[in-house]
Amino acid sequence: MSDDDLVTGLLDDARERMHKCVESTRHEFSSVRTGRASPALLDRIHVDYYGAQTPLKQLATINAPEARLISIQPFDKSSIKSIEKAILESDVGLTPSNDGAVVRLVLPELTEERRKELVKVVRHIAEEGRVAIRNVRRDVMQDLRELKEGGDIGADDEHRAEGELQKVTDARVTELDDLLKIKEEEILEV
């Protein structure tokens, strides 16, 4: 493998991993509510099901039959109490009610205070995404340093690759910031 192939391979890997960080953050954003009912709001909820932390979507059918209502129909009726407990302990800010067969979540109008809390949650998710991107950059920088020290690439190649890596990092962080801005506007929109 030539020097260029090694460096190109590392940079391609970095691009791919950073893209996955952005997509993961985009998915996390969809689980933060904006006033409309969406089954994705419950994606981050895990239920203590017979001692194992199980994603809610694996325990029940989740629907949004109306704009302000989410219905959760558990496959196992005995898990209703556990599902309600997990929802109450989560950061979605909803109070579940059940009729013995279905758990219902009514989404109230978002108050100004709740909107500001949700913006903080979204900013925290975005920061986690930025940290993940910077971790990828750090790992690839370390790999480049090891290649240089091992004599596989020269100092010029390392420097050029680091510059390219920084451009990719900046582009992905900017993409995340744009997603954050859109999500904040969505949350604050009355």
Side-chain angles (χ1 to χ4, degrees):
M1 230 193 208
S2 74
D3 300 355
D4 286 347
D5 291 345
L6 286 170
V7 171
T8 304
L10 279 175
L11 290 174
D12 288 346
D13 178 54
R15 280 187 194 91
E16 178 65 26
R17 288 169 54 198
M18 287 180 185
H19 177 71
K20 286 180 180 171
C21 293
V22 171
E23 288 308 308
S24 172
T25 303
R26 183 188 313 263
H27 180 73
E28 285 282 315
F29 279 171
S30 73
S31 69
V32 176
R33 73 177 245 215
T34 57
R36 295 189 63 116
S38 163
L41 294 176
L42 306 177
D43 281 356
R44 292 182 296 157
I45 295 181
H46 285 67
V47 179
D48 184 6
Y49 186 64
Y50 293 108
Q53 287 297 318
T54 310
L56 176 58
K57 61 185 173 187
Q58 291 180 8
L59 296 176
T61 303
I62 304 171
N63 293 311
E66 299 170 24
R68 299 211 174 276
L69 178 71
I70 296 176
S71 69
I72 304 162
Q73 188 154 18
F75 304 129
D76 174 6
K77 305 254 185 281
S78 68
S79 66
I80 285 182
K81 289 285 178 220
S82 305
I83 290 172
E84 285 186 323
K85 183 176 182 220
I87 292 169
L88 285 169
E89 291 173 352
S90 73
D91 65 356
V92 292
L94 299 174
T95 306
S97 63
N98 83 70
D99 60 10
V102 178
V103 177
R104 288 183 181 78
L105 298 171
V106 177
L107 282 78
E109 267 304 319
L110 288 175
T111 63
E112 189 64 30
E113 185 179 317
R114 183 64 183 148
R115 287 178 196 277
K116 288 178 179 165
E117 284 175 29
L118 291 174
V119 166
K120 286 180 188 169
V121 169
V122 169
R123 285 181 179 159
H124 178 72
I125 292 169
E127 185 54 35
E128 287 175 352
R130 285 188 209 100
V131 168
I133 289 171
R134 289 192 293 262
N135 286 343
V136 170
R137 180 188 63 192
R138 185 197 61 219
D139 293 347
V140 174
M141 291 278 219
Q142 183 65 37
D143 293 343
L144 287 168
R145 233 170 266 121
E146 287 172 7
L147 285 175
K148 188 184 97 177
E149 289 167 5
D152 294 325
I153 63 171
D156 290 348
D157 289 333
E158 180 200 21
H159 189 69
R160 216 179 350 268
E162 285 178 356
E164 182 67 29
L165 182 61
Q166 188 59 48
K167 284 180 192 165
V168 172
T169 303
D170 293 343
R172 290 300 183 206
V173 168
T174 301
E175 188 179 345
L176 253 186
D177 290 343
D178 293 344
L179 288 173
L180 173 63
K181 189 175 174 195
I182 291 167
K183 188 66 177 181
E184 282 181 351
E185 287 170 5
E186 211 176 280
I187 289 171
L188 294 172
E189 182 182 299
V190 179

